[in-house]
Amino acid sequence: MKLSGGVEWALHCCVVLTTATEPVPAARLAELHDVSGSYLAKQLQALSRAGLVTSVQGNAGGYVLTRAPELITILDVVEAVDGAQPTFVCTEIRQRGPLAAAQEACTRPCPIARAMAGADAAWRAALQATSIADLAGGVDDDYGPTALAGIRTWLTGPDEGGTATGERG
Amino acid sequence: MKLSGGVEWALHCCVVLTTATEPVPAARLAELHDVSGSYLAKQLQALSRAGLVTSVQGNAGGYVLTRAPELITILDVVEAVDGAQPTFVCTEIRQRGPLAAAQEACTRPCPIARAMAGADAAWRAALQATSIADLAGGVDDDYGPTALAGIRTWLTGPDEGGTATGERG
DNA sequence: CCGAACTCGGATAACTCCTGTCCGAGACAG
DNA sequence: CTGTCTCGGACAGGAGTTATCCGAGTTCGG
């Protein structure tokens, strides 16, 4: 029951993208987070397929949020990256074995499936209650507006460093 | 983000065990649910390690619930089988990269981790709100008391069928 | 008291999914 | 029109889960 690791990267990228008005390449986001650019690209592709970000190709290309940050919930990102399948899938074992329940009596999910579905709904409701804008606001509350402003500046800073940056790989 | 499949089996087994007063072997539970006995044994071992059931060896051995069904929650079973690790693990990528946050400012989890932890807590709270006794009661509500009574009868029925049962595997 | 059957428990393979990487197609800028 | 940069999908490696088996321990019957 562990969430895919790429979800964290995707969420951070979405928060970062709130500060940017121009497209941001995947490589730049990977450098900012110090993670594998090749793998991060996969997560961004998932976001693109889900319609959360728009991909712009070409020289000044990259990714841009398609909607206002207040209209993108954490649930959207989670489902885009990790898939929208429910946490619990009932295999209807009550209809199997020597004492299988009659199929006519199985129009409703079994109590176990109902309880698990309720918990799943609670989880998703909590994820849907928080938007990317809320996350960005939380960063401002914790670190002050200078943090996101610095990221915005760094994103626009085009070719700073070059070989002088501390590449340790 | 899919829950381990054995969780469903374990939950059904716990509900079945509420009807039994004597130890029930894993093979009997597997036959009742028409699932792999070898694999079901692993889930029951997990329940045993978590202290939810007691294992009795020997000729009339098997598994018995250690506590009253009202005192065993779905969360207990889920954590016993699937592990108690949280759904989201923050890798602290905010402390990485060229704009890494100062470590002194990272005493609190980042907003993303906070939101995910809140959703995780909501999920676990929902799972903890339902007990095995509630599930058994739900079965009674849906199918009437004859269902669980029939299971109890079948469990006590020692060697019914033999080769005459419809074994299709 | 001894033997046998039955039970759980852990150690052992096969498989699926996630993690990580690469190269090609397409598009904007010059 | 060419070049460079970008995304997009196709390709290996590894961890975790799924499924299975056999051995250690215990109780019942003779």
Side-chain angles (χ1 to χ4, degrees):
Chain A
M1 189 58 177
K2 194 179 67 176
L3 202 51
S4 184
V7 171
E8 184 183 11
W9 300 5
L11 284 170
H12 277 270
C13 286
C14 286
V15 173
V16 168
L17 286 177
T18 60
T19 69
T21 57
E22 300 177 2
V24 181
R28 181 60 56 110
L29 291 169
E31 186 185 358
L32 174 62
H33 296 7
D34 189 20
V35 296
S36 166
S38 305
Y39 189 36
L40 182 62
K42 184 181 288 292
Q43 319 304 335
L44 293 171
Q45 286 173 26
L47 294 180
S48 177
R49 287 187 179 184
L52 301 180
V53 300
T54 303
S55 63
V56 180
Q57 286 193 342
N59 203 339
Y63 290 97
V64 191
L65 294 177
T66 55
R67 304 296 298 165
E70 305 98 20
L71 300 179
I72 302 177
T73 68
I74 296 182
L75 180 63
D76 294 329
V77 178
V78 169
E79 289 189 342
V81 174
D82 195 71
Q85 63 179 350
T87 57
F88 182 84
V89 276
C90 182
T91 60
E92 289 292 338
I93 64 180
R94 62 177 171 179
Q95 297 186 28
R96 302 175 59 177
L99 271 66
Q103 194 167 2
E104 60 178 9
C106 294
T107 55
R108 304 288 175 206
C110 72
I112 292 174
R114 270 181 278 166
M116 299 302 286
D120 185 273
W123 181 67
R124 290 174 195 276
L127 293 180
Q128 200 167 20
T130 306
S131 70
I132 301 298
D134 295 331
L135 294 178
V139 174
D140 278 342
D141 291 344
D142 288 1
Y143 306 98
T146 58
L148 290 180
I151 289 176
R152 166 181 262 170
T153 304
W154 185 87
L155 288 177
T156 56
D159 44 10
E160 188 165 348
T163 58
T165 53
E167 294 187 359
R168 56 175 176 272
Chain B
M1 188 59 178
K2 193 180 65 176
L3 203 51
S4 184
V7 172
E8 183 183 10
W9 300 5
L11 284 170
H12 277 271
C13 285
C14 285
V15 173
V16 169
L17 286 177
T18 59
T19 69
T21 57
E22 299 177 3
V24 181
R28 181 60 56 109
L29 291 170
E31 186 184 358
L32 173 62
H33 296 2
D34 189 20
V35 297
S36 165
S38 303
Y39 189 36
L40 181 63
K42 184 179 286 292
Q43 317 305 336
L44 293 171
Q45 285 173 27
L47 294 180
S48 177
R49 287 188 177 183
L52 301 181
V53 300
T54 303
S55 63
V56 180
Q57 286 194 343
N59 203 341
Y63 289 98
V64 191
L65 293 178
T66 56
R67 302 298 296 166
E70 304 97 21
L71 299 179
I72 302 177
T73 68
I74 296 182
L75 181 62
D76 294 329
V77 178
V78 168
E79 290 189 341
V81 174
D82 196 69
Q85 63 179 351
T87 58
F88 182 83
V89 274
C90 182
T91 60
E92 289 291 338
I93 65 180
R94 62 178 171 177
Q95 298 188 27
R96 302 175 57 176
L99 271 66
Q103 194 167 1
E104 60 178 9
C106 294
T107 55
R108 305 289 174 204
C110 72
I112 292 175
R114 270 181 277 166
M116 300 301 287
D120 186 272
W123 181 67
R124 290 175 195 275
L127 292 180
Q128 201 167 18
T130 305
S131 69
I132 301 298
D134 296 331
L135 293 178
V139 173
D140 278 343
D141 291 344
D142 287 1
Y143 306 99
T146 57
L148 290 180
I151 289 177
R152 166 180 263 171
T153 303
W154 185 88
L155 287 178
T156 56
D159 44 10
E160 189 164 347
T163 58
T165 53
E167 292 187 1
R168 58 176 177 272

